[in-house]
Amino acid sequence: PLEAVWALAEQGELHVFQANQRIVAEGEEGQSLIIIGQGQAIVEKVMSNGLRPVARVGPGAVIGDVCLMGVNIPRAANLTAETQVEAIRIPACGVLFVLSRFPGISSQMVQRLTLVSRQLQTGLPVWSEVIGSLQVFEQCESQFINNLAKECERSVHYFGSVLKEAESEDRSLYVLQHGHCYLEDALRGCVGEAGTGDCFGSGTPVGVLPSEGLSVRVASPVAVLLKLPRNSFVATLARFPTEARRFDMDAKAPSACVLGPLLTRLKIFSTSSPGLLRDLEKVVQTSYYMPRQTLCVEGAVDEANLMVLRGGQAMLSAKNKNTDGVILRAGNWFGELAFIGAVRRRTATIYAQTMCITAEVSRAAFLAVLEAHPKDRQRFEQITMQAMSESNRISWPMLQDTPPELDIMLSLHSERRVYAEGDSSMSALPSSDVAFLVLHGRVVVLDAAGEQVEVLEPGSCINEQVFLGFPATEHLQLLPQQHSEVQIVKRETMDLVRAAFPAQDSKVRQGIIKVMAARVQQRLGYQPGTIGVLVNSSIFRSVSHSLAAELRAGLEDCVFEPGDIITETGSKGDCMHFLLDGVAQSKSMENDSCVELSAGTVIGEAVLLGVTNTYPRTVQALSHCIVQILRRKTWTNVLEGFPSERQGFAVIWEEAERHGYAGLRQRLARSSCFRMSSRHFIAMACEHASDAFFAKGERIMTCGPSAGGHDHVYVLLAGRARVEDQLSGCLLGELSAGEVVGEMDCVDCQEDRDTVVYAGKQGLVHCVRLRRESVNASIRAFPTEGDLLRDRFRIRQAAFSSALSIRQTWLMFSVLPALRSSPIFARCTNEMLLKIGMGLSTNTFEPGEDIAVAGVPCQSMSFMLDGTAEVWSRDGQIVGQLTKGAPFDEVLVLGLFYMHVATVRAVDGPCTVLPVPASALTEAVRIGQLPGKPAVDMFMELRESRQSQVEQGLPLSALPLRILPGDLAVRAVALHSERLDLPAGEVLMPLVDSSPCGPHFLVLVHGRAIIEITHSGHEAMKVLQGTLLPEGLLADNAARMRATIGCEVYRVRQSEFKVLVSQTTDWLNTFHRLEKEAYSSCRARLKSARAVCQFSRTRSKAVVPQVHVAWDRPPTPSGGAVRRQAGSFNPLIQHQLTLDDVRPSTPQPIPSRRLAKTLPALCLDSNGSKGPLRNFDLPSAVGRCYSSPGRLVSKKSPALRKRRQGSQAKLHESTKCM
């Protein structure tokens, strides 16, 4: 009816949920009905690996209708808003209230309720379990309980039904197995409630019934009642005399279903006090689970409830095969490890196979009860400690070196909370005196602007500094990224625990400082526990990683309060300090001026090295400062285990010993540059002076027009420095001890180029760092010292200019020709080549030294500028030789491979090698420009071309070897092969075997070409695709390749082929046979072609004159014409031509080689008559050409005919060769 609908509407509340906001959480008590009005929501199930979406619901969806069953059924899944959702929430009690006002509504649901009741009865506990769970029967024998169960009766009732009238004289015992009931008085109405598990009966103050005279009415849609008649109980009791003495029905009545008898069966509660068990019974909650609903999920973090299965059947599923598939029945319990805090995550997943009823005690309620029982608390601390293992225990990181009892006590007194993903309520916790430990999940730390600052994983804590009285982290915002559990500890709780363990107080304090230092290192960009903090000092940037790692273990963490003195001027010390966090100030030795020091500053490097024994400055903390200390004793002990590392500090120690370990001012006064300066000048310049150390190769300063001003001036005290031109990378000179760097602004001088000053490669460099303001003030007060500095600066600049000129000459006449000889740089412009060569330098190798070692990673190619080197394969065989001008390892600079494939060893004199790193090529290509397109496109095309030929296995896969492109050796050869594209008509000149890279061979993959003699153009042979050609043979015979159509040719070095192809390769013998056949065939063709050329040159010079034929057709003298004989072919007489007359005005030369081919076809006998020739002889035929009248006429004089006889024999021999 409409009135009932309005009544339901009055009970509902409208809620609006934003996107990603949680509407329903899995496991919470579902005592309300939710109807989605607008928007979309996602149903998510808690799994071992997180949340998994299982469904999407929209407007009209009803959530939580099982709450109307009148029992506590936890939510089976999460419901999260995907968009903005408007939902109506109606409490279950409101629905039941409407049903009580309109009882006729329930009559319309009888059929549905009947089906529900049948399903309920299949999952309810068996009757013997129900009877045995009552406290009055807990000491009874199982046989007696089973007999009582046989006498019980079960009945189903619906909403509004009366289970027991007030005036009823029935003295039976009733147990409410399912549902909810009202206790009603005729005058006062409802005076109480009875829930699942409660029992009642006339004349017995049982369960929640206060007295007799009350009616019991069903208040839920369905109620299942178990009845034990009085007469049946008496009859059964008579059969068990032993049990009869325990009962006096008038004096002792059964109470409600309790958990006490079941708890005592658990080992952890076997020795608990009765008071603890009674208090736990008061916080017991009964929950119902539908079939296939999960009671707990393996790996999930929940409320850690202890569950006892009172009815139904469940199945256990776990990764442990020993427990997987175990069936749980009434009386089984689970979750005790999470309940006592030994583990945080559930160790198994439990599914309800039928309707399951559980009695649950939450961990929070257990801890609250435990506070009232100190003896039980100590016992549970021991149980928890025994159950914990180091593998699954997460404790506060500052308590790692303390006894486990301290951590257990802290856990028992702390608070644990579980937050869903994206729950913003976590940031609402007060953080002024509270620290957080993440037990499970992931929590992000946000700053005031909402930017992510830190990610907290399990075992990470934050805000621990409040335990030492430090201020809390400002604007602390915590946001769970996953379903997370955190432990919350207040400062008072930590003080209580520290007071309980006074002997561990110093360890706890040092542990807190260590955690604070680790967090600061992470904020500075260093991974805690690594050598990251040490690299703030140049001393440790020059040592090996193993040495730095051992020193890192010796660092001590300290905290300085505001106003504490860290170092004091003139005081002896042996420590170096790393300022990790906070602000400090450095006071001058001369006056009260101060310099502020921030995080990352290093103090006392010279004291650690032993260069001096006193601190030069007073450093005072202005705020809470976290400092790490490295002592000289630790440094010395560790360095003794690395004798090779001591060589890098030898120069510094020698200089310090020579000067008697004097301070900075004394060392500066004894330097070569300031030896003649007054002590007052040095005193002014040394205001705020400090030690500065630079590792070998480290940049000290950049000088020049574009460098701008500098705040410091450096004076070398020990070691050497290198000065390089910034643009070209040219080494301009070296600076020794006593030289000044960065003084140009102080002496009013300007450099004409940008230069970079690097620490030398011999070892650590020690400098004194002077402030520019102090140096300027001292020069203004003492101009003479300024003139000396200016003169030294100008002399140094002149030397640098001379060195730069020599460098430019070397680039133009050595580097550029070498780079252009490589096909990689063949298309580069001079500007690009100069850009690549500017930063290059040569390396010199003596005979026997390895220039490159096979298998060693590398990212650069090299050029042989001078000397000779041998190429060795991996099996120790010499496979080739490299001479001056040879490039090698081109694939490395292209980034196509990562290590040397062969060993290159110097053999003849000092070998000068020019390495070209990939970084130089990358920088030049980035800004380079080729005609028509950027240089980067050209190099990308080259890389793609090499990759393509590797995929196709070219060029070897084009040869008739029957090999596959995927063969490893074929792909390796393809990677190192050079591709040459020849358009039609273009010529390829072969390389001789004595070329810088040694012998090569060519493979024609696509197209057609011819091999011709270079000086004459005679064709020696035709080349088709799939042909192998030895380049050295072609070069030795003065031959070349000319493309008749577009050709794709590959050039392969013989040395690289031998390195890349193993001797055990199955197709190698076939390749050698093919190579031998190609060599023999090519040599025979070239020999024949050269003989023809020799004959042609001899004939044209000595015998055969140039003949001109009249191609016009003049009238024949006798009316006859020259005709072809049937079956013969004359290429000179395609039409009916006569050779009687010669037209000198339009001569047509006939080459001698053409004449040699056409003369045998002329139908002329010895008398000049027509007819085929027999036994043709070229010399005789040529003689007849000159003697026969009217046939062929020469422009030469008749005297030449006499010379024919002398050369006739020679022509005859040439004809035989043809």
Side-chain angles (χ1 to χ4, degrees), residues 354-380:
T354 63
M355 185 84 176
C356 290
I357 305 174
T358 62
E360 302 180 5
V361 179
S362 67
R363 173 174 166 79
F366 168 69
L367 295 177
V369 171
L370 202 61
E371 290 294 329
H373 302 273
K375 294 183 178 180
D376 290 305
R377 186 186 66 190
Q378 295 178 1
R379 190 177 60 81
F380 273 101

Side-chain angles (χ1 to χ4, degrees), residues 985-1155:
E986 189 170 339
V987 172
L988 172 63
M989 301 301 297
L991 299 177
V992 296
D993 288 343
S994 59
S995 63
C997 295
H1000 298 73
F1001 65 84
L1002 300 174
V1003 178
L1004 179 61
V1005 175
H1006 296 295
R1008 290 195 302 272
I1010 60 172
I1011 301 298
E1012 61 183 18
I1013 305 302
T1014 303
H1015 60 272
S1016 65
H1018 280 78
E1019 178 182 336
M1021 60 182 294
K1022 297 184 183 296
V1023 182
L1024 303 179
Q1025 63 182 21
T1027 303
L1028 185 145
L1029 298 172
E1031 274 199 89
L1033 180 62
L1034 299 180
D1036 294 342
N1037 288 271
R1040 63 188 180 187
M1041 175 186 287
R1042 182 184 297 276
T1044 57
I1045 62 174
C1047 294
E1048 181 181 335
V1049 186
Y1050 288 85
R1051 174 177 285 160
V1052 182
R1053 295 183 190 176
Q1054 289 279 10
S1055 59
E1056 291 181 342
F1057 180 85
K1058 294 176 181 178
V1059 168
L1060 299 172
V1061 181
S1062 172
Q1063 295 296 327
T1064 59
T1065 305
D1066 52 359
W1067 50 265
L1068 184 60
N1069 293 332
T1070 306
F1071 175 82
H1072 286 326
R1073 288 195 298 269
L1074 177 65
E1075 186 181 29
K1076 185 176 181 181
E1077 294 172 359
Y1079 186 89
S1080 301
S1081 175
C1082 186
R1083 184 178 61 179
R1085 299 289 184 88
L1086 290 173
K1087 183 177 180 181
S1088 300
R1090 294 188 65 183
V1092 171
C1093 294
Q1094 181 67 25
F1095 163 72
S1096 301
R1097 287 196 300 271
T1098 303
R1099 185 180 59 189
S1100 60
K1101 292 180 180 179
V1103 180
V1104 182
Q1106 190 173 14
V1107 179
H1108 293 266
V1109 180
W1111 294 102
D1112 295 339
R1113 186 177 180 180
T1116 56
S1118 59
V1122 179
R1123 295 193 301 269
R1124 287 186 298 171
Q1125 186 176 354
S1128 65
F1129 175 72
N1130 188 351
L1132 291 180
I1133 314 176
Q1134 296 182 6
H1135 305 285
Q1136 288 189 355
L1137 303 178
T1138 60
L1139 303 178
D1140 295 333
D1141 298 321
V1142 176
R1143 302 295 181 91
S1145 59
T1146 58
Q1148 186 74 14
I1150 301 178
S1152 58
R1153 63 178 181 272
R1154 185 174 179 183
L1155 180 64

Side-chain angles (χ1 to χ4, degrees), residues 73 139 320 524 530 549 676 724 889 964 966 1018 1187:
I73 298 181
Q139 301 296 332
N320 185 2
L524 294 175
T530 62
M676 305 302 296
E724 296 182 1
D889 288 336
L964 298 176
H1018 280 78
S1187 60

Side-chain angles (χ1 to χ4, degrees), residues 345-422:
R345 301 185 181 185
R346 296 291 188 180
T347 57
T349 300
I350 299 178
Y351 299 93
Q353 286 190 322
T354 63
M355 185 84 176
C356 290
I357 305 174
T358 62
E360 302 180 5
V361 179
S362 67
R363 173 174 166 79
F366 168 69
L367 295 177
V369 171
L370 202 61
E371 290 294 329
H373 302 273
K375 294 183 178 180
D376 290 305
R377 186 186 66 190
Q378 295 178 1
R379 190 177 60 81
F380 273 101
E381 289 177 2
Q382 297 176 358
I383 294 174
T384 304
M385 194 165 46
Q386 294 174 359
M388 280 186 172
S389 62
E390 294 298 331
S391 59
N392 60 13
R393 182 178 122 186
I394 291 182
S395 61
W396 290 82
M398 74 276 295
L399 304 180
Q400 292 181 354
D401 299 331
T402 60
E405 292 85 357
L406 193 148
D407 188 18
I408 297 300
M409 183 176 179
L410 185 63
S411 298
L412 290 175
H413 287 82
S414 61
E415 180 184 0
R416 292 204 312 182
R417 295 189 182 182
V418 178
Y419 294 92
E421 180 181 354

Side-chain angles (χ1 to χ4, degrees), residues 862-873:
S862 302
F863 292 88
M864 293 285 296
L865 297 186
D866 196 11
T868 304
E870 292 176 340
V871 181
W872 292 65
S873 63

Side-chain angles (χ1 to χ4, degrees), residues 843-846 848-864 868-874 877 879 882 886-890 892 898-907 911-916 976 1053 1056 1059:
N843 297 326
T844 303
F845 299 89
E846 296 297 328
E849 286 189 72
D850 289 336
I851 302 174
V853 179
V856 175
C858 183
Q859 292 184 348
S860 62
M861 67 174 296
S862 302
F863 292 88
M864 293 285 296
T868 304
E870 292 176 340
V871 181
W872 292 65
S873 63
R874 289 203 174 199
Q877 301 294 326
V879 297
L882 302 177
F888 57 94
D889 288 336
E890 293 96 329
L892 302 184
Y898 62 94
M899 66 179 181
H900 298 292
V901 297
T903 298
V904 181
R905 185 171 299 162
V907 294
C911 291
T912 304
V913 179
L914 178 68
V916 181
H976 291 77
R1053 295 183 190 176
E1056 291 181 342
V1059 168

Side-chain angles (χ1 to χ4, degrees), residues 694-745:
F694 297 93
K696 55 183 178 181
E698 191 173 11
R699 176 178 295 192
I700 299 176
M701 178 179 286
T702 301
C703 309
S706 62
H710 299 281
D711 296 332
H712 298 93
V713 176
Y714 295 91
V715 181
L716 270 69
L717 298 181
R720 300 181 67 84
R722 303 169 61 249
V723 183
E724 296 182 1
D725 182 70
Q726 187 176 20
L727 182 61
S728 63
C730 171
L731 177 62
L732 302 179
E734 289 192 352
L735 304 178
S736 58
E739 295 291 339
V740 184
V741 179
E743 77 279 18
M744 55 279 184
D745 294 335

Side-chain angles (χ1 to χ4, degrees), residues 481-601:
Q481 276 191 338
Q482 299 175 357
H483 190 80
S484 304
E485 180 184 12
V486 297
Q487 186 176 5
I488 304 172
V489 176
K490 296 183 179 180
R491 180 180 177 183
E492 301 83 50
T493 304
M494 177 59 76
D495 294 340
L496 177 65
V497 174
R498 292 172 65 182
F501 296 88
Q504 305 296 327
D505 186 68
S506 60
K507 291 185 178 180
V508 174
R509 176 181 173 82
Q510 192 62 33
I512 296 173
I513 296 175
K514 185 177 180 180
V515 173
M516 295 168 60
R519 173 167 290 103
V520 171
Q521 293 181 58
Q522 192 171 6
R523 190 166 62 244
L524 294 175
Y526 307 129
Q527 188 68 24
T530 62
I531 64 173
V533 67
L534 295 178
V535 300
N536 283 344
S537 172
S538 298
I539 298 176
F540 307 107
R541 289 197 290 268
S542 62
V543 300
S544 63
H545 186 275
S546 55
L547 173 60
E550 292 195 23
L551 291 173
R552 171 65 184 82
L555 290 177
E556 301 176 10
D557 302 311
C558 297
V559 174
F560 292 91
E561 302 287 340
D564 291 349
I565 300 298
I566 302 176
T567 64
E568 189 173 1
T569 303
S571 63
K572 292 186 177 181
D574 63 345
C575 301
M576 182 174 69
H577 302 77
F578 296 91
L579 182 59
L580 299 182
D581 191 33
V583 179
Q585 65 177 5
S586 172
K587 295 183 179 180
S588 172
M589 297 182 294
E590 302 296 332
N591 49 46
D592 294 334
S593 60
C594 299
V595 177
E596 191 174 278
L597 305 179
S598 58
T601 305

